[in-house]
Amino acid sequence: MKSVKTHHTYHFTLIKSSTRVFRAIVFLLGLSLPAWSYIGPGAGFAFLSSFLVFFLAFFLSIFSFLSWPFRLLFRLIKGQKAYKNSLVDRVVIIGFDGLDPVLTEKFMAEGKLPNLNRLKKEGTYNRLKTTTPAISPVAWSSFMTGCEPSKHNIFDFLSRNPKTYLPDLSSARIGPPPRFLSLGKYRLPLSKPEIRLLRKSQPFWKLLGKQGIFSTVLRVPITFPPEKFAGHLLSGMCLPDLKGSQGTFLFYTTNQERIQRKEGGETLLVKPEGRVIRTYLPGPENSLLKNTEVIKLPMTITLNYEQESATVEISTQRFELKKGVFSPWIKLSFPAAPGLKIRGIARFYLITLKPHFELYVTPLNIDPEKPALPISHPFIYAPYLARLFGSYVTLGEANDTWALNEGVLPEEAFLELAYSFHQDWEKIFFNALKKVRKGLVVCVFETTDSLQHMFWRYLDKSHPAYQPTARLSRGHQVLEELYRKMDALVGQIMSGLDEKSCLLIMSDHGFKPFRRGVNLNSWLYLNGYLKLKDGANESDEWFKQVDWKETRAYALGLAGLYLNLKGREAQGIVSPGEESIKLKKELMEKLSGLKDQEKGTIAINRVIDTERIYGGPYRENAPDLIVAYNQGYRASWDSVVGKVNRTVFEDNRKAWSADHCMDPDLVPGVLFSNLKLKTSEPCIMDIAPTVLKLFGLNVPGYMDGKPLLPEDPAGPDRRKEGVSSVKGQKNVRKR
């Protein structure tokens, strides 16, 4: 009876939420933005919103409410059949993005991770082989599909458009509606915008759903736009902000010297009139207008020097900011047309008032209570969570690493913000864990990844970015504290599991220091493979001064090297066949073992021909070569965005001081389980088939991964033996 009441309340909440959206939006709304520059890592892309999504969500919620008793009965009947051959009732997967095996093993040996240590001793622990290349969207796509990259079509954060040589976001394509109605200064869309997921193959939770097994999937990368399946999903990495980028912070200052280009952010110079600053908050571009322009919200800031605070008035709201204290989520409404508003949320942080005023604003997140485009499945799952817990971060790459990189956000503030986001995700996760007693629960936490990127320098005094006089006195303790916090979370999860639950703790890759950058495009230029236009001796971002009619190879993204292939690239000059094979061999020989003469160390371990490692249907979209960097090296910041100059090697002095975009053999992830699993070189592609086998399902032949379970016991005792292996872990949870 309790579960029926909960289900009824859930649908009632969804209908109320959809009704408000229905009243607020009256026309189709399409917003598009040009591609944003590389935002480390990642790239922005066009942003669109359609009333049709809200319209359908409204009526689907009504249908869902009316039909739920029948669907519940059907699910119970189908579910009984689904679990007939299952070894467990529930699988819980926790992804700690980037959790490193070397640090994990060190802290376990020192007794600082008791819960992970317990899993290692009484269950399973091993290093987990990652993908080639070792990049998060690639690895997590292989995790969910059980396939190598050329079967799921994700090879980097960025993919290149061979017609323009410009970057696209690799995971999603969003385009404007094909038909518009002209009405005065507006153009109103008459059809749906394109919102398309570019990742191919099927995630394993979709296969489970077809067999009647319910799943809740939270913030797994490369799940935007969300796919339909029998379960709930909240999108993760690569979900954009309200401006259509992968995270654009705002920085207000009265200091003229601080007005320089901020990578990943937008800086606005302000001038007080007495104690009052009148400025604006730039939002998304309004492409409902025939002449598109940024929607600007007027903002007034009143300074109180004595109290070290400021009062902000914006979007019909008034709130006080204390110096060094984050505001709660502030709801923002951007008017696009009469009766049409785009809703977002942001948090404000007053950095200082004297001698100069400085204010930081987080990237404009899509408001989960009234999302401007689908960020969850079903569409109304995100608003439902907002009604339960209040506003929460929706941006795919939530932690604002560029604000720290650019010296805008203090380190303590960055940590505070990151852990506040993490707490939001924990609340949502434990809510799912409580409600899903049978089925699958998956949640990926990005905190481990972003904090290691930014604070590894404190572990390495030889790092160019090491700051012995940094303001964060406990910098050397940040990563140990991070690992302790994640271990405590594991303990909390373990204490709530029953005897028929399987727990998997995993990461997609590990970490190594990033001390020196390698500009592959500069190397190609200096060695005659890439040419610049007459009179140019360097190129701006995205190859602006490159002469494609004389260029044979170029690099784009974090690991990829492409041939300028005739018939594929718009101005290709390298003939397929013998010429391209010869060129690839030549590049592999010259770049493999490339030495950084200044440091006397090898920068590139090897260069991999993708034709030799990929055999899937999307191999043609892969880079021609993948560069496997040595420890301490990575593609330079300039190389990633297509800049060309005469500098091949340079120190990395940014706070972003560690990475994993190097030789995959150097950066494996981790795998823990409360079950005894096969431990002979497990791979991230093995997780999907393992979960399918745990639920008694056959593994599709197209999957490259293999189940990590011991050989299936024969005969009718199969489930009994599987359950007993879970029961054997009872003491792991109860101690």
Side-chain angles (χ1 to χ4, degrees):
M1 188 67 187
K2 183 179 179 181
S3 62
V4 172
K5 182 179 179 181
T6 302
H7 201 87
H8 178 91
T9 304
Y10 171 70
H11 283 288
F12 182 66
T13 303
L14 299 185
I15 289 174
K16 288 202 298 182
S17 177
S18 297
T19 303
R20 284 195 304 273
V21 173
F22 181 81
R23 290 172 179 168
I25 307 292
V26 236
F27 294 100
L28 286 167
L29 173 61
L31 295 172
S32 60
L33 289 173
W36 197 257
S37 62
Y38 175 82
I39 297 178
F45 57 96
F47 172 81
L48 288 159
S49 172
S50 170
F51 164 67
L52 186 60
V53 175
F54 297 98
F55 184 80
L56 291 175
F58 173 71
F59 284 104
L60 284 174
S61 64
I62 294 177
F63 174 77
S64 177
F65 175 70
L66 295 175
S67 64
W68 78 263
F70 304 101
R71 292 184 294 105
L72 181 61
L73 180 61
F74 177 76
R75 183 185 294 175
L76 288 172
I77 296 172
K78 190 175 182 180
Q80 289 299 319
K81 182 179 178 181
Y83 290 96
K84 183 178 180 181
N85 296 317
S86 177
L87 300 176
V88 295
D89 284 346
R90 181 172 59 171
V91 174
V92 179
I93 303 177
I94 300 300
F96 290 133
D97 197 307
L99 200 73
D100 180 66
V102 175
L103 287 185
T104 300
E105 291 161 12
K106 174 181 181 294
F107 293 142
M108 283 196 299
E110 293 170 354
K112 296 171 180 175
L113 308 178
N115 297 299
L116 289 176
N117 224 343
R118 209 179 311 154
L119 283 176
K120 176 185 176 182
K121 291 179 180 178
E122 301 187 33
T124 297
Y125 166 70
N126 209 335
R127 297 187 176 192
L128 188 67
K129 184 178 180 182
T130 187
T131 48
T132 302
I135 301 176
S136 292
V138 186
W140 287 114
S141 295
S142 288
F143 153 77
M144 70 179 80
T145 64
C147 298
E148 52 98 338
S150 68
K151 290 182 181 178
H152 59 60
N153 196 41
I154 303 296
F155 303 98
D156 201 324
F157 282 95
L158 301 176
S159 62
R160 60 85 175 87
N161 186 330
K163 295 180 181 179
T164 63
Y165 299 93
L166 294 175
D168 290 324
L169 193 71
S170 65
S171 58
R173 187 76 69 247
I174 304 185
R179 297 191 304 277
F180 292 87
L181 171 67
S182 181
L183 191 63
K185 66 178 182 179
Y186 297 103
R187 53 171 196 157
L188 303 178
L190 295 176
S191 56
K192 289 195 305 181
E194 177 190 22
I195 305 178
R196 182 162 52 99
L197 179 67
L198 298 182
R199 195 209 69 237
K200 306 297 182 182
S201 193
Q202 296 187 86
F204 63 85
W205 47 81
K206 192 170 184 178
L207 301 178
L208 294 176
K210 289 178 180 178
Q211 301 302 318
I213 297 171
F214 185 84
S215 302
T216 294
V217 180
L218 302 170
R219 292 195 59 88
V220 175
I222 318 303
T223 52
F224 172 80
E227 298 173 279
K228 293 180 180 179
F229 76 109
H232 295 156
L233 182 143
L234 189 64
S235 293
M237 179 187 288
C238 290
L239 194 158
D241 64 13
L242 206 64
K243 294 175 73 68
S245 77
Q246 290 295 291
T248 303
F249 67 84
L250 298 171
F251 177 56
Y252 297 82
T253 181
T254 57
N255 187 356
Q256 180 69 49
E257 295 180 2
R258 293 273 271 166
I259 301 298
Q260 68 263 23
R261 183 171 180 261
K262 300 290 186 187
E263 191 75 37
E266 190 172 342
T267 303
L268 291 90
L269 182 66
V270 294
K271 185 177 181 180
E273 300 171 4
R275 292 183 174 232
V276 177
I277 294 173
R278 302 185 192 280
T279 183
Y280 65 91
L281 191 148
E285 281 191 358
N286 187 356
S287 64
L288 281 182
L289 298 173
K290 291 178 181 177
N291 299 315
T292 61
E293 61 183 39
V294 171
I295 306 173
K296 298 178 180 179
L297 289 183
M299 182 166 66
T300 301
I301 306 168
T302 304
L303 308 179
N304 186 334
Y305 296 106
E306 295 77 13
Q307 299 297 322
E308 292 194 306
S309 66
T311 302
V312 180
E313 297 176 70
I314 187 171
S315 198
T316 71
Q317 296 173 88
R318 179 186 176 98
F319 58 92
E320 186 178 13
L321 282 177
K322 288 285 188 181
K323 178 185 173 182
V325 179
F326 277 100
S327 74
W329 286 109
I330 303 300
K331 291 183 175 291
L332 304 167
S333 296
F334 295 87
L340 297 175
K341 293 182 179 180
I342 307 161
R343 312 223 178 232
I345 56 173
R347 295 180 70 179
F348 293 66
Y349 184 83
L350 180 59
I351 301 170
T352 185
L353 287 94
K354 294 180 180 179
H356 290 284
F357 167 82
E358 291 187 350
L359 172 70
Y360 163 83
V361 182
T362 65
L364 303 177
N365 281 239
I366 294 166
D367 186 348
E369 189 172 356
K370 298 177 182 179
L373 78 168
I375 64 175
S376 66
H377 174 77
F379 179 82
I380 39 190
Y381 181 53
Y384 166 69
L385 292 173
R387 294 302 301 274
L388 281 180
F389 302 112
S391 295
Y392 55 87
V393 64
T394 57
L395 178 61
E397 294 188 69
N399 296 323
D400 197 351
T401 54
W402 269 113
L404 181 54
N405 250 353
E406 295 295 298
V408 170
L409 198 59
E411 291 180 327
E412 284 285 8
F414 174 85
L415 284 170
E416 180 186 344
L417 193 61
Y419 279 124
S420 71
F421 293 160
H422 181 89
Q423 289 168 4
D424 289 345
W425 301 327
E426 282 194 14
K427 291 176 185 176
I428 293 171
F429 164 73
F430 280 111
N431 175 68
L433 194 63
K434 180 180 178 181
K435 292 185 176 179
V436 181
R437 293 298 180 181
K438 296 186 74 171
L440 171 74
V441 180
V442 185
C443 186
V444 173
F445 294 93
E446 71 176 77
T447 322
T448 38
D449 183 79
S450 51
L451 264 62
Q452 288 184 107
H453 275 304
M454 307 312 290
F455 291 95
W456 195 282
R457 57 203 154 98
Y458 285 104
L459 303 181
D460 182 3
K461 293 184 178 180
S462 66
H463 200 290
Y466 177 71
Q467 299 172 305
T469 59
R471 283 180 290 175
L472 187 67
S473 59
R474 61 187 182 92
H476 64 287
Q477 299 173 331
V478 168
L479 296 190
E480 181 180 319
E481 291 173 358
L482 169 71
Y483 276 67
R484 285 177 178 270
K485 287 177 183 289
M486 298 309 109
D487 183 78
L489 173 58
V490 171
Q492 189 177 354
I493 295 168
M494 290 166 61
S495 67
L497 296 183
D498 58 30
E499 296 179 353
K500 295 182 180 179
S501 293
C502 169
L503 175 64
L504 298 174
I505 308 291
M506 58 165 292
S507 64
D508 53 331
H509 54 69
F511 263 87
K512 287 290 183 287
F514 166 29
R515 300 188 187 96
R516 299 269 282 172
V518 183
N519 191 330
L520 280 179
N521 287 305
S522 294
W523 184 92
L524 292 168
Y525 167 54
L526 294 173
N527 287 273
Y529 297 100
L530 183 149
K531 300 287 186 179
L532 298 179
K533 295 174 182 177
D534 290 343
N537 54 19
E538 62 181 36
S539 174
D540 295 329
E541 288 183 357
W542 313 127
F543 311 106
K544 286 182 181 177
Q545 284 79 30
V546 169
D547 184 352
W548 294 110
K549 294 180 180 179
E550 297 292 330
T551 291
R552 291 187 290 161
Y554 61 101
L556 182 68
L558 290 158
L561 201 157
Y562 299 86
L563 305 186
N564 193 19
L565 202 62
K566 190 181 296 183
R568 185 183 68 181
E569 268 76 3
Q571 302 180 61
I573 64 171
V574 178
S575 298
E578 185 176 342
E579 184 181 357
S580 65
I581 293 171
K582 181 180 178 182
L583 179 57
K584 282 202 291 186
K585 183 179 179 182
E586 188 176 312
L587 289 169
M588 291 171 68
E589 289 176 351
K590 289 185 177 181
L591 284 170
S592 295
L594 182 69
K595 194 171 185 178
D596 179 357
Q597 296 295 340
E598 182 181 337
K599 299 297 181 181
T601 54
I602 299 298
I604 296 175
N605 284 349
R606 56 194 172 121
V607 178
I608 302 163
D609 185 348
T610 56
E611 285 193 20
R612 298 180 183 178
I613 63 170
Y614 296 155
Y618 306 103
R619 185 174 63 184
E620 62 188 28
N621 296 330
D624 296 297
L625 300 169
I626 289 176
V627 180
Y629 295 96
N630 191 16
Q631 175 175 322
Y633 291 85
R634 197 206 74 173
S636 72
W637 300 105
D638 283 349
S639 183
V640 170
V641 297
K643 282 187 176 181
V644 185
N645 48 49
R646 304 188 69 84
T647 302
V648 176
F649 298 100
E650 61 182 337
D651 282 344
N652 170 38
R653 298 187 181 278
K654 293 186 181 293
W656 186 289
S657 51
D659 218 299
H660 43 85
C661 303
M662 49 190 68
D663 193 325
D665 290 346
L666 297 175
V667 284
V670 300
L671 176 64
F672 291 86
S673 177
N674 61 346
L675 298 184
K676 294 289 186 181
L677 303 177
K678 291 180 181 178
T679 56
S680 177
E681 297 186 350
C683 172
I684 195 166
M685 292 183 289
D686 297 336
I687 303 300
T690 299
V691 175
L692 293 178
K693 293 299 285 185
L694 282 168
F695 283 113
L697 304 182
N698 293 325
V699 178
Y702 65 81
M703 284 190 175
D704 297 296
K706 305 298 179 186
L708 297 175
L709 303 180
E711 293 301 320
D712 289 343
D717 292 330
R718 182 176 178 223
R719 175 176 168 83
K720 181 178 178 182
E721 293 195 21
V723 171
S724 68
S725 67
V726 181
K727 284 184 177 180
Q729 307 307 314
K730 182 176 180 180
N731 291 335
V732 178
R733 293 186 291 273
K734 298 302 182 182
R735 281 184 189 173

